[in-house]
Amino acid sequence: MKREKSENSIAARRFVSAQQVAKKAGVSRSAVSRAFTPGASIAPETREKVMRAALELGYHVNDLARGLLANRSRLVGLVVTKPEVGFRAHLVSALTRALVLRGSVPLVINTGSMEQELHAAQAALFGYRAEATIILSGSPPASFVDLARRNGQPLIMIGRAETDCDHVRIDNSGAARMAARILVERGHRHLALAGVADATPSLAEREDAFTREAQARGMTVTAGHGRDATYAGGQAAADALFAGDGSRRERPDAVFCVNDLMAIGLIDRARGHFGLRIPQDVAVIGFDDIPEAAWDAYRLTTFRQDPEKMAEAAVAHLERRLADPDAPPELLRLEAAFVERGTTRTR
């Protein structure tokens, strides 16, 4: 009796098969296959029987098996380091939604930072024969790009600098130059930058563009760097920028932060440890417009990256590349809209 219950329990956990649908509908197994194949020849009344039986049984087509037969897995790899951090988390969320709506199966590969983690991530990505790979900003190594190319996978880069690939990028330089112009035009004379020592290409682009624009307007820029572009990194940058002799002449009166997480860490440290008022003593501009930027505790002035638009652009690149593998690489550069809140003075 116990064995019979165990076997029934196991059977109950199995997926409903096409053969079960055929039996319930009173049709052949091939009729079920034709009913779920777009454009296949099947009588309307037969298709109606199949669909009704499938609905009652809870049947779904085995897309994985179909993909293997067609040599097209529908899996799309999303390669990312620290997908849970800051703007990257919202971009991964938008990408997975966009891919599911396309009919793809997103496979998020967290590359980690240890060699063992990197090898495991590579094995997962290429072992499942993903039909394409999207590589996000951060620090997934160039070895992923090289392996994808050797395996003939279409590659979509977001916020990266590799050549001969389709790219989606935000206009980092344009936004950073605008930040410098706004701060100078509003009377700030002691500009600072909060960044990281080992910056990704996107963050390095923001740092360089801000510094160059400020210098072109006759300003010098003091740099404070954290270890990572995180909340703790922003606090470390604040310590580097504000822990001098405390004189107003030398202390920065405006800071451009390479992302919102650093800006939030810097603001908390500036207020709590150095007793500075934002924006009366120090104006702050961030980058990304993560949800926390709009919180009442910060009301951060920033530049918005729209994760939904970036995901839409990445999927459009993917469709184009799969349809025409030999098309020349395309770069789509999206504008970062200026969002003014309470960490900057209007004039």
Side-chain angles (χ1 to χ4, degrees), residues 60-122:
H60 286 273
V61 174
N62 187 338
D63 285 324
L64 180 59
R66 281 193 170 191
L68 291 173
L69 289 172
N71 197 28
R72 188 174 182 184
S73 70
R74 303 296 289 177
L75 292 172
V76 175
L78 299 180
V79 181
V80 55
T81 300
K82 296 182 179 178
E84 74 281 5
V85 174
F87 174 75
R88 212 171 297 144
H90 303 286
L91 180 55
V92 169
S93 177
L95 282 166
T96 55
R97 288 195 302 272
L99 288 168
V100 167
L101 286 173
R102 176 185 178 264
S104 297
V105 180
L107 179 64
V108 179
I109 305 295
N110 185 348
T111 62
S113 56
M114 306 296 290
E115 186 174 356
Q116 183 179 2
E117 294 173 323
L118 295 174
H119 287 314
Q122 288 174 348

Side-chain angles (χ1 to χ4, degrees), residues 172-177 180 204-214:
N172 294 298
S173 294
R177 289 195 300 269
E205 189 178 1
R206 295 169 200 171
E207 291 189 21
D208 182 67
F210 178 81
T211 302
R212 287 178 179 273
E213 182 68 23

Side-chain angles (χ1 to χ4, degrees), residues 6-206:
S6 176
E7 289 176 351
N8 289 338
S9 178
I10 292 171
R13 291 199 299 268
R14 291 173 181 162
F15 286 104
V16 177
S17 69
Q19 186 59 48
Q20 289 173 287
V21 175
K23 182 178 179 180
K24 185 171 184 63
V27 301
S28 67
R29 169 65 179 77
S30 62
V32 175
S33 178
R34 292 196 305 275
F36 284 94
T37 301
S41 176
I42 184 171
E45 59 271 18
T46 302
R47 185 179 187 281
E48 177 62 27
K49 287 181 182 179
V50 171
M51 292 303 177
R52 187 165 55 247
L55 181 63
E56 291 176 8
L57 292 172
Y59 170 76
H60 286 273
V61 174
N62 187 338
D63 285 324
L64 180 59
R66 281 193 170 191
L68 291 173
L69 289 172
N71 197 28
R72 188 174 182 184
S73 70
R74 303 296 289 177
L75 292 172
V76 175
L78 299 180
V79 181
V80 55
T81 300
K82 296 182 179 178
E84 74 281 5
V85 174
F87 174 75
R88 212 171 297 144
H90 303 286
L91 180 55
V92 169
S93 177
L95 282 166
T96 55
R97 288 195 302 272
L99 288 168
V100 167
L101 286 173
R102 176 185 178 264
S104 297
V105 180
L107 179 64
V108 179
I109 305 295
N110 185 348
T111 62
S113 56
M114 306 296 290
E115 186 174 356
Q116 183 179 2
E117 294 173 323
L118 295 174
H119 287 314
Q122 288 174 348
L125 178 62
F126 299 106
Y128 283 101
R129 301 294 190 269
E131 68 172 351
T133 300
I134 300 174
I135 300 184
L136 278 64
S137 61
S139 55
S143 60
F144 275 88
V145 178
D146 180 56
L147 271 174
R149 282 173 171 158
R150 283 190 278 150
N151 279 274
Q153 279 192 343
L155 281 171
I156 312 297
M157 303 291 181
I158 299 183
R160 303 275 296 191
E162 287 84 358
T163 58
D164 300 324
C165 302
D166 293 312
H167 282 268
V168 178
R169 292 182 192 162
I170 203 74
D171 187 6
N172 294 298
S173 294
R177 289 195 300 269
M178 182 178 177
R181 289 197 301 271
I182 288 172
L183 293 175
V184 172
E185 289 171 359
R186 294 184 183 182
H188 297 283
R189 293 297 177 262
H190 305 292
L191 304 188
L193 169 78
V196 290
D198 187 18
T200 64
S202 291
L203 300 187
E205 189 178 1
R206 295 169 200 171

Side-chain angles (χ1 to χ4, degrees), residues 33 39 83 104 119 179 192 227 232-233 257 284-285 299 315 339:
S33 178
S104 297
H119 287 314
R227 181 177 178 180
C257 302
V284 179
I285 296 178
R299 298 187 62 248
V315 170
V339 181

Side-chain angles (χ1 to χ4, degrees), residues 131 152-155 164-166 317-329:
E131 68 172 351
Q153 279 192 343
L155 281 171
D164 300 324
C165 302
D166 293 312
H317 269 320
L318 175 59
E319 295 282 10
R320 170 182 171 273
R321 180 57 54 194
L322 291 173
D324 187 1
D326 297 321

